[in-house]
Amino acid sequence: MRKLVALSLVAVMAPSLALARGNHPMAGCGLGYLLLSNKDNGKVTQVLGATTNGTFGTQTFGISSGTSGCTEDGAVKVARAAEVYADVNFDSLRREMAVGRGEFVETFASLLGATEANRQALLALFQSEYAELFPSASTTTSDFLSVLGAKISQHPELLG
Amino acid sequence: MRGFLIAFLICLTGTVHASDDEAYLAQLFKSARDQRLSEQPAWRLLLHFHHDLLGRYRSEIDDPRYFLSPRGRRDPSAELDATLRAFFEVPSISTDVQHPQCRYPARYAWLKEQLQFDSRMKERPCPRFAAWRDQMDAESLTLIFASYYLNNPASMYGHTFFRLNSKRHGDHERLLDYAVNFSAYPDSDNPVLYVLEGLSGGYPGRFSTLPYYMKVQEYNNLESRDLWEYALTLEPGAMDRLVRHLWEMGQASMAYYFLNKNCSYQLLPVLEVAQPSLRLVHSFWFKAIPADTLRSVIHQPGILAGVRLRPSHVSKMLSARAQLSREDVRSAERLAKQADDAAVGRLDSLAKDRQAKILDSAYDLFRYRVGFSRNQSKDIQEQERKLLMARHRLGFNESKESSVSERPASPDQGHPTGRAGISFGASKRSHFEELSLRAALHDQEDDPVGYVRGSQLEMLHLRVRHDNDRRATYVQELTLIDILSLSSWDRWTRKPSWKVRTGLSAAGDVKQDPEDSLMYGLQVGPGISLRTHVLRGEHWYALAEADTQFGGVFENNFRAGAGTESGVIVEAAPGWHVHFKAAYFRYPWGNEGEAVRLRLIQACPLGKSMQFRVTLERQNRYKEMLFSLLRYF
C-alpha cells in the first residue's frame, strides 16, 4: 500500500466526503461494514455458524476480479487507501488516538505519509485534537476523515 | 482501382503477418516438443496436475475457464500448445478482457524463458496485472496460522494464509501488507447446507488478496484468535513466480472440500510453483489439517526464518490484567460495567500511570463484552466514549505497551494429528486386544503443547477389539465427532464449557456382551470448568448432559435420559497426565435404567511421538483395565 501525501489525501477525499456526510452507513466504500455482527466472542450459539473461514471480504477482493467501489482486482485503490484503512480500523483508531500510541494509529500515520522524524509529532496532534476528531459517540469515519484532512492541512510540516 | 489495390496490399500485409505468426508458432511447437516442455515438472505444477483419489492424472482445477484447450484439464501437452497459440492472439478492443499473455503471466514468463521468445512474439502490455503486482510489492513471504476456534466448525482446526511482505513497509507497518487467502464462497446461510456442501465440494473456492489489517481485525478482534506469523525464506525468483501464478489463479475456482482441498491445502501447490524444489502436496490425500500443512512447510530445511506471535484481544487483555493489583482489577471491572462520571471520578486520587492501566483494562474488558461489531446501541457507544475520554484526559503517555507475558507454545509444536494405537486389556470374564485409529485430532490426555488447553476434538475414531475368550471381533467404538471444550472459568471471559459427542459405541453398562451391544448415541451438554495450580496444574470440570442412544441391545431399541459428568485432569509431571471422571446417568425413556461410570486414565509420553496409557474403567457392574501404546503420525 502506498504512503500518501496529505494534500492529495484532502483533495481526493473532499468531493466524496461532501456527499457522504453524517451517519450514512454506506459512506465511502462501506468496507468497514464487512465487520458485521455475526461473529461473537465465545458464544456457544455460533456452533453451526454459517461463516466459512475467511470469507470476510474475500469476494470483494478476489484476485483479478475486476474493479468495484474501492477495490481493483484484489487491491485497495491507491487513492482510497487511507479512507478504507480508517473505515475498517475505525474502532481501533478511536481507541488508540485517545492515547496517541498503538500499532493501528502509528501505521495510519505512516499511511498518511509521516516520516520517522515527525511521526511522534503527528501522533501528538491526533491526541491533542481528539475531542474534535471524535466529537460524539456516533462520529462516523467520513466525519472523522474530513476533520482530519482539515487539521493536517493546517500543519503541512508534519507530513512528508 | 487504386482503392482496390490498396485494400489488396493491406490484406496481403495482414496475411503476411498472420503467416509469419503461424510460421513462428510452428517453430515454437517444434521446440516445445523437442524439449519435452509439457512433461516438465514446472509446467505440470503450473497446471496443478496431480493424481486424484481415484488414480486419475489431471488438474485439480475444475473451472473450465482456466484452460485454453478443451482438453486442458487432462492433457498438459494440449494445454501448452493452446497457450502458445493464444499468446499470438490479437488483443481485444474491450478493456475488460485481458490478453492471454496477461491472464497467464506465470506461463508466459516460463515459456518465454524455455523457448527464448524473440521479437516475433509481440509482448503485450498488461496494465491490470502490473498495477496489482505493484500494489502487492511482494519481497518475501510469511505463512500465517490463525489459532483454533472451537465455536465454529469451519474454524476448529485453525486456518492458514499467506502475507506478502512489501519492500515499502517497515517492520512496524506490516498491517499494510497484503494477505493471500483461499476460501470457499458459500451461497447459503443455512447451517445444514453449509456443512453438507462444504464437505462435498459444493462450494467454489477462490484466491483473494486483501489488506492484512482486515485479517488482523477479523482474527485478533472479532474472533479473539492468536495469529502466528512464520517468516519464510525462499529461493531467488520464487516471489516473482508466486505473484505471477497468483494472478493466474485469480480466475480459477476450485471445488472447496473442507476435509482435504481446503484453505490450508491450496497454499501448497502455489508454493510449489514458486519453488519447485519443495515437495509438499504429496503428503495430503484424505485430509489436510492446517497444523499439518503448516508443519510440512516449515520443516523444509532452511525455509523458516522466524516465528512471531500476534496475540488476540483476549490474550492481551488477560496479560495486562495480570499486571494489575487485585483492587485495580476490581476498579477496572466496575468501570467496564458502568462507565459513569462517578466511577471515573473515583480514580482521581490515584497516580496517573495507575489510572491509565486501569482505564486501559476497563476498555479491554468492555470491548470484549460488547464485541467488535459495528452495530452497537447508543448506550454502548456513550459508555465507550466515557472510557476513552477519561483515558484521553490523562494526557500523552510515552511508555511502551506491555506484550503478552508468557508466550504459549506455537501450533507447529503440537503432536501430529493422526493417532494409531494397540492395546491389551482384561475384564472380569475375558482378555482382549484392541486396535485403534483416529483421523484427528486431540483428546484431554494427549500432550496439550501447541493445542488449546482443555480442548478435545476427535473426528473418526475407530476402536476394534478381539476377545480371546469368546473369540469375537467387534467394533468397540466408531466416534464421528467428539468435542469437549473446557474453558477455565474466568470472571472476565466467562466462557462456558460444553460437550458434543456422536457415534457408535458398545454400551458398556448393560448386561450384554460388548459385541452385541453396539449402539448409536448422541450426548450434548453444557458445563463449567476451572483450572487450579495446587500442584502443577489441575483442570476440574462438571457437565450436565442429555443422552440419547439407539440400538438393538435396548428394549424398544432406544433409551434416552440425562445425567452429569465431572472430573479432573491433573498434570503430574511434564507430559504425564492423570484424568479421573465420574458420571451418573438416568434413562427414564426406552430401556429404563441408570448408569454409573467411572474412569481413570494415566498417560505418559514415550519419546516424541508415542504415549503409554493405563485405563481403568467401570460401568455399573462391568470393570475393565486397558494398557495402550499410542503412536502419533
Side-chain angles (χ1 to χ4, degrees):
Chain A
M1 202 151 307
R2 291 200 182 283
K3 298 185 186 185
L4 298 178
V5 176
L7 294 173
S8 70
L9 164 74
V10 176
V12 164
M13 283 191 319
S16 59
L17 289 172
L19 289 172
R21 282 230 159 264
N23 287 332
H24 193 312
M26 284 329 217
C29 330
L31 284 175
Y33 272 80
L34 289 175
L35 281 154
L36 280 184
S37 67
N38 56 9
K39 304 202 187 196
D40 278 311
N41 301 317
K43 294 231 177 84
V44 177
T45 47
Q46 294 297 320
V47 170
L48 285 181
T51 49
T52 309
N53 238 328
T55 45
F56 171 41
T58 46
Q59 254 160 333
T60 315
F61 284 92
I63 300 175
S64 75
S65 59
T67 302
S68 89
C70 300
T71 66
E72 213 161 41
D73 291 327
V76 174
K77 285 182 182 161
V78 175
R80 313 286 279 230
E83 186 186 335
V84 173
Y85 182 93
D87 201 20
V88 172
N89 299 303
F90 197 52
D91 298 329
S92 303
L93 287 175
R94 190 169 55 226
R95 180 201 190 163
E96 290 182 4
M97 284 191 170
V99 182
R101 181 191 80 211
E103 189 182 10
F104 284 90
V105 69
E106 289 169 32
T107 305
F108 189 51
S110 291
L111 185 58
L112 292 174
T115 61
E116 274 296 333
N118 45 37
R119 183 175 323 132
Q120 288 302 324
L122 183 59
L123 294 175
L125 177 75
F126 289 153
Q127 212 231 3
S128 61
E129 301 298 320
Y130 186 73
E132 288 186 45
L133 289 166
F134 299 96
S136 87
S138 51
T139 302
T140 63
T141 318
S142 39
D143 293 339
F144 160 77
L145 285 171
S146 62
V147 174
L148 181 66
K151 295 282 174 199
I152 289 177
S153 56
Q154 286 162 20
H155 298 266
E157 77 282 359
L158 286 180
L159 295 164
Chain B
M1 180 59 191
R2 197 151 63 121
F4 179 75
L5 197 60
I6 289 170
F8 178 71
L9 281 171
I10 289 172
C11 283
L12 199 60
T13 341
T15 24
V16 162
H17 279 183
S19 72
D20 268 353
D21 285 349
E22 281 296 335
Y24 187 42
L25 181 58
Q27 193 182 320
L28 291 173
F29 280 158
K30 183 171 183 309
S31 260
R33 246 179 287 292
D34 291 341
Q35 291 179 54
R36 298 159 85 116
L37 285 187
S38 68
E39 289 166 47
Q40 296 224 8
W43 182 248
R44 304 281 165 119
L45 288 172
L46 278 172
L47 299 180
H48 291 221
F49 259 78
H50 297 289
H51 290 282
D52 68 12
L53 284 178
L54 299 174
R56 295 172 298 186
Y57 189 61
R58 48 198 234 171
S59 172
E60 276 178 343
I61 300 168
D62 46 35
D63 188 341
R65 286 172 305 179
Y66 185 72
F67 300 97
L68 291 163
S69 156
R71 290 186 357 248
R73 195 176 174 205
R74 286 176 297 286
D75 185 346
S77 174
E79 186 63 15
L80 191 139
D81 289 349
T83 303
L84 283 171
R85 181 176 290 280
F87 286 164
F88 285 95
E89 265 175 37
V90 175
S92 161
I93 304 169
S94 159
T95 47
D96 280 342
V97 179
Q98 290 186 82
H99 190 272
Q101 287 179 18
C102 303
R103 276 174 68 197
Y104 302 97
R107 295 192 199 180
Y108 183 78
W110 187 72
L111 287 170
K112 177 177 176 178
E113 190 197 326
Q114 299 295 314
L115 296 171
Q116 304 278 297
F117 290 165
D118 55 38
S119 56
R120 286 176 288 173
M121 168 68 79
K122 258 195 223 35
E123 200 158 285
R124 306 290 174 186
C126 301
R128 280 173 64 190
F129 168 58
W132 171 83
R133 177 165 66 167
D134 185 59
Q135 284 272 64
M136 297 301 112
D137 189 43
E139 182 184 45
S140 69
L141 192 67
T142 299
L143 177 58
I144 311 216
F145 183 92
S147 67
Y148 306 101
Y149 183 62
L150 277 182
N151 285 356
N152 179 337
S155 314
M156 283 185 313
Y157 289 92
H159 177 57
T160 52
F161 58 98
F162 287 142
R163 188 185 69 208
L164 303 173
N165 306 316
S166 158
K167 290 189 277 301
R168 287 191 288 260
H169 303 145
D171 213 38
H172 53 282
E173 294 167 332
R174 296 270 80 98
L175 287 177
L176 299 177
D177 288 330
Y178 273 89
V180 182
N181 193 72
F182 181 78
S183 63
Y185 285 12
D187 54 11
S188 167
D189 260 355
N190 180 321
V192 178
L193 262 186
Y194 162 77
V195 171
L196 290 177
E197 300 259 38
L199 287 173
S200 60
Y203 294 132
R206 303 183 85 114
F207 276 98
S208 53
T209 43
L210 64 174
Y212 186 48
Y213 59 75
M214 291 181 77
K215 297 306 259 177
V216 171
Q217 289 290 352
E218 179 184 3
Y219 291 112
N220 274 171
N221 289 339
L222 251 73
E223 294 187 335
S224 254
R225 292 163 77 170
D226 290 337
L227 287 170
W228 292 88
E229 303 173 348
Y230 294 83
L232 305 179
T233 309
L234 300 179
E235 285 167 5
M239 290 310 293
D240 182 58
R241 281 188 292 272
L242 178 72
V243 167
R244 284 173 179 272
H245 186 55
L246 281 173
W247 182 256
E248 291 179 344
M249 294 308 292
Q251 64 200 309
S253 79
M254 287 166 283
Y256 184 100
Y257 290 86
F258 177 73
L259 292 177
N260 60 349
K261 305 281 177 248
N262 54 32
C263 52
S264 71
Y265 169 79
Q266 293 294 359
L267 301 180
L268 306 181
V270 162
L271 208 45
E272 284 187 350
V273 166
Q275 189 160 311
S277 58
L278 294 172
R279 298 269 294 134
L280 305 166
V281 165
H282 68 286
S283 341
F284 297 97
W285 282 94
F286 296 104
K287 60 170 185 166
I289 293 177
D292 288 333
T293 62
L294 168 70
R295 279 187 280 263
S296 75
V297 173
I298 67 171
H299 289 168
Q300 301 284 323
I303 206 172
L304 184 64
V307 187
R308 262 222 193 122
L309 168 64
R310 187 176 276 275
S312 67
H313 177 80
V314 131
S315 299
K316 290 191 288 203
M317 173 175 87
L318 295 177
S319 223
R321 183 185 71 179
Q323 317 228 328
L324 296 179
S325 70
R326 248 211 171 146
E327 194 191 321
D328 291 351
V329 169
R330 295 285 178 265
S331 300
E333 279 170 22
R334 275 194 297 269
L335 277 167
K337 191 159 176 191
Q338 188 64 39
D340 55 31
D341 297 324
V344 172
R346 271 194 286 274
L347 297 179
D348 279 346
S349 54
L350 304 175
K352 279 221 156 130
D353 65 325
R354 202 170 149 198
Q355 287 190 49
K357 288 204 172 97
I358 294 173
L359 283 165
D360 282 340
S361 283
Y363 181 88
D364 286 342
L365 177 57
F366 170 82
R367 222 344 157 227
Y368 179 74
R369 291 247 169 93
V370 305
F372 286 83
S373 154
R374 287 289 161 92
N375 299 333
Q376 302 288 0
S377 68
K378 273 235 166 291
D379 184 53
I380 300 275
Q381 288 177 338
E382 290 295 339
Q383 296 246 356
E384 182 191 340
R385 186 169 175 73
K386 286 234 160 59
L387 284 172
L388 290 177
M389 290 309 287
R391 182 65 183 86
H392 168 64
R393 281 192 294 269
L394 286 178
F396 188 49
N397 188 342
E398 283 200 43
S399 59
K400 272 283 142 201
E401 227 172 73
S402 58
S403 52
V404 177
S405 43
E406 194 198 292
R407 196 176 102 161
S410 53
D412 60 288
Q413 295 179 303
H415 65 74
T417 59
R419 193 184 79 183
I422 183 162
S423 313
F424 296 92
S427 67
K428 225 187 320 199
R429 297 185 301 138
S430 59
H431 298 79
F432 53 86
E433 293 88 37
E434 178 184 291
L435 287 178
S436 74
L437 187 62
R438 186 182 71 188
L441 176 74
H442 176 76
D443 67 22
Q444 297 289 356
E445 301 84 36
D446 288 324
D447 191 350
V449 166
Y451 288 92
V452 176
R453 266 200 181 271
S455 71
Q456 168 168 309
L457 169 57
E458 291 197 330
M459 277 173 113
L460 289 182
H461 187 181
L462 174 66
R463 291 162 68 199
V464 178
R465 286 188 176 179
H466 175 76
D467 187 304
N468 296 325
D469 303 281
R470 291 195 304 278
R471 296 183 193 277
T473 306
Y474 57 95
V475 169
Q476 171 66 19
E477 175 188 335
L478 174 55
T479 299
L480 295 179
I481 193 157
D482 183 352
I483 304 177
L484 176 58
S485 173
L486 300 179
S487 307
S488 183
W489 180 259
D490 181 287
R491 283 171 68 103
W492 284 32
T493 61
R494 294 202 203 136
K495 278 209 240 168
S497 300
W498 51 279
K499 168 180 168 151
V500 170
R501 183 192 161 126
T502 191
L504 295 166
S505 65
D509 60 288
V510 296
K511 288 201 187 77
Q512 284 271 43
D513 290 331
E515 59 269 27
D516 299 322
S517 49
L518 194 64
M519 57 85 177
Y520 185 85
L522 170 66
Q523 295 93 42
V524 186
I528 56 165
S529 76
L530 184 69
R531 271 236 292 283
T532 58
H533 284 277
V534 177
L535 301 166
R536 289 185 54 95
E538 306 78 42
H539 203 147
W540 308 82
Y541 64 93
L543 301 158
E545 288 169 44
D547 188 359
T548 315
Q549 300 176 7
F550 299 93
V553 62
F554 301 125
E555 216 175 275
N556 303 322
N557 292 323
F558 86 102
R559 67 176 174 181
T564 68
E565 185 179 321
S566 37
V568 60
I569 306 159
V570 179
E571 188 180 350
W576 181 20
H577 292 87
V578 179
H579 181 183
F580 173 73
K581 67 176 179 185
Y584 172 74
F585 276 81
R586 241 185 107 76
Y587 300 98
W589 298 290
N591 194 115
E592 290 179 35
E594 52 183 35
V596 174
R597 304 186 180 113
L598 303 168
R599 192 189 290 183
L600 175 67
I601 306 171
Q602 300 221 43
C604 58
L606 283 181
K608 288 219 80 183
S609 47
M610 300 220 290
Q611 203 188 57
F612 178 68
R613 290 190 188 180
V614 179
T615 307
L616 295 170
E617 185 162 347
R618 183 185 168 139
Q619 295 200 49
N620 285 348
R621 302 196 79 94
Y622 175 80
K623 291 192 277 224
E624 83 175 25
M625 179 170 197
L626 198 67
F627 295 87
S628 311
L629 194 62
L630 303 171
R631 164 107 207 204
Y632 303 91
F633 60 93

